Amino acid sequence: MQVYEAPIRDMRFVLEELHNDDGFGDVEGFEDFDSDVTTAILEEAGKLCKEVLLPINWSGDQEGCKLENGTVSTPKGFQDAYRQFCEGGWAGLGVAEEWGGQNAPHALGKMVEEMTCSANLSFGLYPGLTNGAMVALEAHGSDELKQFYLPKMANGEWSGTMCLTESHCGTDLGMLRTKAEPQDDGSFLVTGNKIFISAGDHDLTSNIVHLVLARLPDAPAGVKGISMFLVPKYLPNADGEPGDHNKAGPTAIEHKMGLKASATCQMSFDGSKGWMVGEPNKGLEAMFTMMNTERVAVGIQGLGVGEIAYQSAVYYAKDRLQGRSLSGVKNPDGPADPIIVHPDVRRMLMTMRAYNEGCRALSAWVSRALDASHSAREPEARERATDFVALMTPVVKALFTDLGHESAQLAVQVYGGHGYIQESGVEQFARDARIAQIYEGTNGIQALDLVGRKLPHRMGRNLRSFFHPVSQFCEDHAADADIGKLVGSLQQSFGALQLSTGHIAQKGLKDPEEAAAAASDYLRLLGFVAMGYCFAKAAKVAHAKLAEGSSEEAFYKAKLTTAQFFFDRLLPVATAQFMAIKSGKASMMELPEDAF
């Protein structure tokens, strides 16, 4: 059974109580989004997700999308759900008022994204891709393109995609072959084929705006010769309404492991008319504006799946009767006790809970930094926030999706044999979560980006944006009567991170393969230390609230218990990761290829 109730109280905790001392200062432009408004938005979003999106999640997976006569149709209920989504203003929640949006802070918008991904991840990809396309267009498009396209994308009337991958090139975009021929009127004719295009075609909007990477006739080889083009599915008329078909459309739908209600298309552009976005041969830079936004969004997808997997597993663990508690009968009137009494089931549930709360706390910190990078009052704060976002983007994408997939697998395990059966609903979570570790750059690529680019950038300045606050927190609270033991554990794992950083810096300069061999372990280590820092801060807040006699005693006590579990059972892996990093590349790289 798929069970979901938006975790609004925990969202409010990380938004309003946890990161007030993040050092970014006042962030301008969001004065209208006070606690009351934020709570109202979260409550309405939670209602939409529970009542509209969740009921069509499993049925949408069973039905899937269909391609007939060159057009993709989405599953039953998706069109009506999308209409309600747009009528409620959710499509433009975080969009600038200039384009008709509500200009909500990223910190709030990511919480709504999490709800959408929990309730119906396939559905969430349609507006999610549009949001990413808008980010790239707003940053790099001409005023004319922005004025024409962004308002219709902001209200959800038109949607957007990103078209990068070709059958012969995924990560190595320098190999792409799609071409763009300049025309006398300033437009271009784009010709080529793309694969794995999420939301490449569907029946939710009247037009689809594709952002396509292609090469000009005189483009340099490799990634330095890529340009970006806006190619609409239908060419707009003078009145702004969709007109003639633009020879841009799907040739097939990918048959996938999961996300079956999201149309992942093979796309053909056959002399399709488009307009350049940004400068010639600078398309990869423009696309990365979108991809960095999408990478954080994909991390939120992992968190969203992890949350609904946890809630569904809790529901089943309380309902399923099997065996008796080792500490004595807990359900004397029944034939057995609910499985939630068993320690190993508790281990799985607590692991999922800690992953979700830790990721949510870290995502709120990163989202707060994203807002500060644009709108903090002090230039120094904006610069530090920008460094922090750069450092943490690959961590959010890779770690959150790894943990979301792990939580989905744990949910299946809690259900036992019933979890392996489609009717339970939880096997869908395991299938849907898997792609998040792959698209928008595989998690291995994220780890390489972290150690190869983000760590050495400007002599390690990005890393200082994280090391300094953690170091200061440990120094300030090492002797704290309430959280001193937690801080001691945090210091130990932080020390492992510092030593690992030095090891990679030293070895990586001499041999890049040494850094690459350590990359995935290092990313996970950094992410777990960051979550540990958030949990230690959360425990500090919880102790203070309990000392004040808060009326929400149960909430804050649960926060302390979850934090303690994280430090007892999950953070100790930091030591093992440090040892793995120190072992170097030898055993990984020495086996001859023909021995595999």
Side-chain angles (χ1 to χ4, degrees):
M1 183 173 180
Q2 297 185 345
V3 176
Y4 181 68
E5 189 80 41
I8 293 173
R9 182 62 187 91
D10 197 54
M11 290 178 171
R12 288 179 51 223
F13 175 78
V14 299
L15 286 175
E16 300 173 2
E17 301 177 62
L18 185 59
H19 296 301
N20 295 333
D21 60 347
D22 59 15
F24 297 135
D26 292 332
V27 178
E28 299 179 292
F30 305 126
E31 292 78 12
D32 292 339
F33 293 90
D34 59 17
S35 178
D36 290 341
V37 172
T38 294
T39 300
I41 289 174
L42 293 176
E43 289 176 348
E44 287 302 311
K47 185 184 302 182
L48 175 78
C49 290
K50 180 179 180 179
E51 298 177 1
V52 178
L53 301 186
L54 182 61
I56 59 173
N57 187 42
W58 187 80
S59 61
D61 176 72
Q62 296 298 299
E63 181 182 345
C65 295
K66 297 180 178 63
L67 173 61
E68 296 177 338
N69 301 319
T71 300
V72 172
S73 58
T74 53
K76 181 180 178 181
F78 269 58
Q79 284 185 313
D80 184 60
Y82 187 77
R83 176 187 58 77
Q84 293 186 58
F85 184 87
C86 294
E87 288 178 352
W90 301 109
L93 180 63
V95 178
E97 292 179 354
E98 180 180 3
W99 315 118
Q102 300 174 52
N103 196 40
H106 286 91
L108 175 58
K110 293 304 174 190
M111 298 299 163
V112 175
E113 279 187 39
E114 181 197 324
M115 293 183 196
T116 305
C117 294
S118 285
N120 196 321
L121 181 54
S122 285
F123 178 92
L125 288 184
Y126 294 103
L129 267 295
T130 303
N131 178 69
M134 290 186 67
V135 169
L137 184 56
E138 185 175 24
H140 300 282
S142 66
D143 288 342
E144 183 179 4
L145 288 178
K146 289 189 288 188
Q147 293 290 342
F148 190 86
Y149 285 94
L150 288 180
K152 290 182 179 293
M153 297 171 76
N155 66 21
E157 184 179 346
W158 293 357
S159 62
T161 74
M162 54 192 296
C163 298
L164 291 77
T165 307
E166 300 178 7
S167 59
H168 57 282
C169 70
T171 300
D172 190 358
L173 289 171
M175 297 171 63
L176 72 81
R177 299 169 183 159
T178 300
K179 298 179 179 179
E181 296 284 344
Q183 304 300 296
D184 293 339
D185 62 358
S187 66
F188 296 80
L189 296 183
V190 177
T191 301
N193 297 291
K194 302 286 184 177
I195 63 170
F196 302 161
I197 307 306
S198 298
D201 197 75
H202 52 80
D203 55 4
L204 303 181
T205 60
S206 61
N207 205 355
I208 302 174
V209 181
H210 303 290
L211 295 185
V212 185
L213 293 186
R215 293 187 179 282
L216 295 170
D218 58 350
V223 295
K224 294 182 179 180
I226 299 174
S227 301
M228 180 194 283
F229 300 89
L230 184 155
V231 182
K233 176 181 178 179
Y234 297 104
L235 291 169
N237 295 325
D239 60 2
E241 295 302 313
D244 295 336
H245 195 280
N246 194 24
K247 301 178 183 178
T251 57
I253 296 179
E254 306 289 1
H255 299 285
K256 302 172 296 184
M257 175 179 177
L259 292 185
K260 294 179 182 293
S262 169
T264 305
C265 299
Q266 298 176 23
M267 300 290 295
S268 172
F269 299 91
D270 184 15
S272 309
K273 190 170 186 177
W275 293 266
M276 186 176 292
V277 177
E279 300 178 20
N281 304 321
K282 300 289 185 180
L284 199 59
E285 177 183 338
M287 187 62 80
F288 266 105
T289 302
M290 178 180 187
M291 288 186 70
N292 283 329
T293 298
E294 290 301 303
R295 283 172 175 173
V296 174
V298 171
I300 300 300
Q301 292 175 19
L303 170 56
V305 174
E307 180 62 34
I308 191 171
Y310 166 69
Q311 290 191 29
S312 300
V314 168
Y315 172 87
Y316 187 78
K318 290 180 177 180
D319 184 68
R320 173 70 164 169
L321 302 181
Q322 200 88 153
R324 289 297 188 185
S325 169
L326 296 175
S327 61
V329 173
K330 299 297 190 292
N331 181 33
D333 297 330
D337 290 330
I339 63 173
I340 198 169
V341 305
H342 302 308
D344 196 60
V345 173
R346 288 293 188 105
R347 173 190 63 81
M348 292 186 283
L349 295 178
M350 287 301 298
T351 297
M352 298 160 73
R353 181 188 181 98
Y355 284 167
N356 293 335
E357 290 190 14
C359 289
R360 186 174 298 116
L362 181 54
S363 76
W365 189 16
V366 174
S367 299
R368 161 78 173 164
L370 193 56
D371 289 323
S373 69
H374 298 293
S375 305
R377 294 181 187 276
E378 299 297 327
E380 187 274 335
R382 288 198 297 272
E383 187 173 60
R384 184 158 34 83
T386 300
D387 294 344
F388 183 69
V389 171
L391 176 72
M392 285 296 172
T393 292
V395 176
V396 168
K397 194 281 180 184
L399 183 65
F400 287 20
T401 57
D402 279 348
L403 300 186
H405 181 256
E406 187 175 332
S407 290
Q409 297 292 345
L410 288 172
V412 172
Q413 191 72 15
V414 170
Y415 274 68
H418 292 284
Y420 200 66
I421 304 301
Q422 283 191 344
E423 284 77 8
S424 72
V426 293
E427 60 84 35
Q428 181 188 347
F429 305 148
R431 291 186 288 105
D432 284 355
R434 191 61 185 86
I435 185 59
Q437 297 169 286
I438 299 172
Y439 59 17
E440 302 304 335
T442 66
N443 288 358
I445 294 295
Q446 304 303 315
L448 290 175
D449 177 50
L450 176 64
V451 302
R453 294 178 181 156
K454 302 303 172 58
L455 292 191
H457 182 64
R458 287 194 280 184
M459 302 299 291
R461 197 182 84 175
N462 290 338
L463 200 59
R464 291 196 292 272
S465 67
F466 174 70
F467 273 24
H468 286 177
V470 176
S471 179
Q472 189 64 53
F473 181 86
C474 290
E475 182 180 336
D476 292 344
H477 297 93
D480 189 293
D482 292 324
I483 64 170
K485 289 185 178 180
L486 298 185
V487 172
S489 297
L490 177 61
Q491 284 178 310
Q492 185 176 1
S493 63
F494 183 46
L497 176 63
Q498 290 173 306
L499 291 172
S500 297
T501 304
H503 176 84
I504 290 173
Q506 181 182 19
K507 296 288 185 178
L509 285 174
K510 299 176 182 178
D511 184 354
E513 281 190 345
E514 284 285 353
S520 290
D521 282 305
Y522 184 84
L523 184 147
R524 195 174 181 94
L525 174 57
L526 174 58
F528 268 62
V529 172
M531 287 198 295
Y533 171 65
C534 290
F535 269 121
K537 289 183 65 178
K540 176 174 175 280
V541 173
H543 276 294
K545 292 293 184 179
L546 290 170
E548 295 171 2
S550 171
S551 61
E552 297 181 288
E553 180 180 353
F555 173 80
Y556 291 111
K557 282 188 173 181
K559 185 64 66 176
L560 290 175
T561 301
T562 306
Q564 189 66 56
F565 178 86
F566 179 84
F567 279 96
D568 287 348
R569 292 282 179 160
L570 301 179
L571 190 56
V573 73
T575 302
Q577 285 162 337
F578 172 53
M579 296 302 294
I581 289 169
K582 278 187 63 180
S583 72
K585 72 171 188 176
S587 60
M588 189 181 298
M589 303 301 294
E590 283 185 359
L591 194 67
E593 288 184 19
D594 58 7
F596 279 91

